[in-house]
Amino acid sequence: MYRVLLRFLLCLLCCAPGYTLADCIVTQPTRQAINTPINLSIGIVDIQVHCYLDRPRALSFPLDIVNNPRIFTASDVDIVPLSSARAAYLLPAGNFTFTLTVDAERDRQLLLQLAPLAQFQQYNNMHLLTISGFAGLCIALSLYVGVLGRSLRNEGFYAYSAYILSAGFFFVLQEGVLKVLLPQAAWLHSVGLKLIFAGLTVYTAQRFISKLLEFQLILRQWEHMLIRYAGLLVLFLGAITVLLPSPYDHFTSLAMGSLTVLSMVAIIVATIYAMIRKIHCSGLVFVSLLLLLAAMIFRVYLPHFSEFLHRYALIIAVTIEAFLLAVAASEKVKRLQKDKIAAYLNAASDTLCPVLNRRGWEDAANQLLKQHRHEGGFLVMMFIDMNNFKQVNDIHGHAVGDDALVILAKILNAQCRPQDIVGRLGGDEFVIMSHCHSRAIGERMIERIKQRLMHLDLRIGALSLPVSASVGAQIIDVPHTDLSTLLHQTDMLMYEQKQQQKAMA
C-alpha cells in the first residue's frame, strides 16, 4: 500500500511542468528545468540537481564563465567525468540528487545541457573537429602570409601572422580544446588568459590593417594615433584583467569588449575613407570588418539571442576574415612587386630609346654571365656604333639625330629575341648580349644584324637619311666574370671594323 502511494507521489513530482520521467530538474538556487539558463553571481555557486533517468545521460556545460567545477553526490551514485571540450559528466540511470559547485568568474547565465550519450559524443566530436580545423587553418594562413612578409621585409604581414595565431589560440582556449589534452590544467580555462589573447588579437589586427591600407599616409596623424592607441588600450586591459580581483576584472572585461567594438567602428570608418581614396584591397578589408563587427555584437551585446551565434558567429567571421585578409595580403604583394618592377624598368630604361640604359644593361648582362657560368652554351656580344653620326647632327640637327637613334634601337629590338638584352651606353653606341645553345645560332645572329645595319635608309618625316653602322662581335664559350673586359674587347672589334670600312671607302 505504502509502496503504491510512494510511486504515485513520485509520478506526480516527475510529471510536473518542465520535468519528465527521463529528465533532471534544478532545485537550487532556483527551481527550474535543466535546459533553462541559470543566473550566476560572481564567486562560488552551488547548483543542486535532482534526476530521474531511465538510461544514462550526458550532462555538459561550457567553461567560458565558470572554473573548477566539482560534483558532490551520495556514495552509491557514480557520476563519471567525460573527455570533452566542455565540462561533461555521465549521469547514471536512476533517481538521485547531486550538487554541482562552480567558481563563477562572470555575472552571467550558465546553460546546463542534458543529452543522450551518443548525441553528446557526436556533438563533442564535431566541435573538436571544427575548432581543430580552425586552428590548423590559422597556422597555415599565418605561415603563408609570414613568408610573404619575409620576402618583402614588411612588418605589416608579420602583424597578420600574429593576429591569426592570437585569434586561433584564443578560440582554442575559449572552446576548451586543450581541456581534452590537459584535463588537469585548470589555468587553461582562466578568463584572464583568454582576455590576454583577445587583446593581442585586436591589437595585431589593427596593426595589420593599418599597414595594409596605409593609414599613416591617408589619415591625419591624430586620427591614426587614436586608432593605434585604442588597440594598445584593449591589449593593456586584457593584460591587467588577469591581475585584478573580482568584480573589478568583470568591469574591465566589459570595458574591453565595448572598446573593441568602438575601435572596430573607427577602423571601418577609416577603411571607408581608404575606399574613397581608392587604396588597393580596401574593399576586401571593409567586407571582412563588417562581418566581424556583426559577430562581435552577438558576442558582446546579444549573448542570449542565439547560443549558436554567441559561440560560433565570431569563429565563422574570423575564418572568413582570415581568408579575405590573406587574399588582400596576396594582392598587396602582387601590387608591390608590380610597382617594384615598374620602378626598376623606369630606372633601367634609356630616356630616349626603347632599350636599357647603361646601368640597366650592365645589371642584366651580369645576370646573363652568371647564367652562362651555370648552364654553359655560348654568349654573343655585339658593340654597335652608327657611322658618321656627328655629321647627321651637324647637318640636320639634334632632333633628327635623336629620331635616327630611336629608329636604330627599334631595328635592333626587331632583330633580337625577347630574352636578348639590348642597351644604349650613350650617344650612338649600342650593345647586345645573347645566350645561345650553339655557336651556329650565334654566328647567324651576328651575320643577320651586320647585314641589316650595313645600309640603312631612315625615313624621318620628309627626310630620307642613308646611314650605316659598324658592328664589333664575338662569341664567348668560356665562362667570364669581368663584364668590363668583354665590353672593351668587343669595342675594339667594332673599332677595327669601322677602320676597315673607312679604308674601303
Side-chain angles (χ1 to χ4, degrees), residues 328-367:
S330 179
E331 290 297 318
K332 182 77 169 183
V333 170
K334 291 179 182 178
R335 182 66 174 266
L336 290 174
Q337 292 286 22
K338 184 178 179 181
D339 292 344
K340 184 178 180 181
I341 292 172
Y344 170 77
L345 291 177
N346 185 57
S349 296
D350 188 76
T351 55
L352 176 64
C353 301
V355 294
L356 297 172
N357 60 24
R358 185 183 191 105
R359 179 181 176 183
W361 185 86
E362 288 180 348
D363 289 344
N366 279 313
Q367 290 297 319

Side-chain angles (χ1 to χ4, degrees), residues 173-242:
L173 288 174
Q174 180 75 12
E175 302 304 324
V177 174
L178 294 180
K179 180 179 179 296
V180 179
L181 301 176
L182 302 169
Q184 302 303 320
W187 60 273
L188 287 174
H189 315 306
S190 166
V191 173
L193 181 62
K194 298 170 187 174
L195 291 180
I196 290 176
F197 281 95
L200 276 172
T201 301
V202 173
Y203 175 69
T204 51
Q206 174 266 317
R207 290 290 294 159
F208 170 68
I209 293 173
S210 294
K211 288 289 184 180
L212 182 68
L213 300 185
E214 301 172 351
F215 283 171
Q216 72 276 14
L217 299 179
I218 66 173
L219 299 179
R220 297 184 181 91
Q221 184 177 4
W222 70 268
E223 294 171 336
H224 178 235
M225 298 307 295
L226 181 65
I227 292 176
R228 183 172 183 178
Y229 285 130
L232 278 172
L233 183 56
V234 171
L235 177 60
F236 174 74
L237 291 175
I240 66 168
T241 300
V242 70

Side-chain angles (χ1 to χ4, degrees), residues 25-32 47-50 97-98:
I25 188 170
V26 176
T27 58
Q28 281 187 341
T30 58
R31 187 177 180 84
Q32 61 189 82
I47 302 171
Q48 191 174 80
V49 182
H50 181 78
T97 300
F98 67 89

Side-chain angles (χ1 to χ4, degrees), residues 110-138:
L110 178 68
L111 181 63
L112 303 180
Q113 292 183 325
L114 191 67
L117 184 59
Q119 180 181 334
F120 164 77
Q121 289 175 336
Q122 182 181 12
Y123 168 82
N124 185 56
N125 292 338
M126 288 297 297
H127 179 76
L128 291 176
L129 183 63
T130 300
I131 303 303
S132 299
F134 171 77
L137 174 68
C138 289

